[in-house]
């Protein structure tokens, strides 16, 4: 599971989601999991969400997707002032 404290570029993140092989699940605070590849409402919600103290939690169903998500996280951190 990944925990992201910020999501500076949701559109770029959603491109990584689209290119992933497996499911990308967003874990909501109430325990609900949303598949970001199939759930358009969850995608829209992600575009407007601002992470709180606990950040946003995601999990991947295919381990081959991990490098792309780590690359996104590293690239996002480098772009922050």
């Amino acid at each position: 599971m990944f925990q992201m404290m910020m999501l500076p570029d949701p559109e770029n993140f959603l491109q990584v989601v689209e290119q992933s092989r497996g499911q990308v699940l967003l874990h909501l605070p109430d325990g609900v999991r949303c598949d970001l590849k199939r759930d358009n409402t969850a995608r829209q919600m992600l575009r407007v969400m601002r992470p709180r103290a606990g950040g946003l939690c995601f999990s991947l169903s295919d381990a081959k997707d991990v490098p792309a998500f780590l690359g996104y996280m590293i690239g996002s951190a480098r772009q922050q002032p």
Side-chain angles (χ1 to χ4, degrees), residues 9-80:
D9 187 351
E11 292 305 321
N12 190 13
F13 178 79
L14 290 172
Q15 287 179 3
V16 176
V17 168
E18 281 299 316
Q19 295 170 1
S20 65
R21 297 171 182 248
Q23 292 178 312
V24 180
L25 301 174
L26 171 63
H27 298 258
L28 300 176
D30 63 357
V32 172
R33 287 184 258 170
C34 302
D35 184 350
L36 290 174
K37 288 183 81 171
R38 293 189 173 94
D39 188 338
N40 287 329
T41 302
R43 293 169 66 86
Q44 290 297 340
M45 186 173 57
L46 186 68
R47 286 181 172 104
V48 297
M49 284 177 89
R50 296 295 171 242
R52 295 187 182 169
L56 298 173
C57 294
F58 301 92
S59 61
L60 307 174
S61 66
D62 190 327
K64 292 178 182 173
D65 292 326
V66 170
F69 283 89
L70 288 176
Y72 168 81
M73 293 168 71
I74 291 167
S76 294
R78 287 183 180 160
Q79 293 173 5
Q80 293 302 310

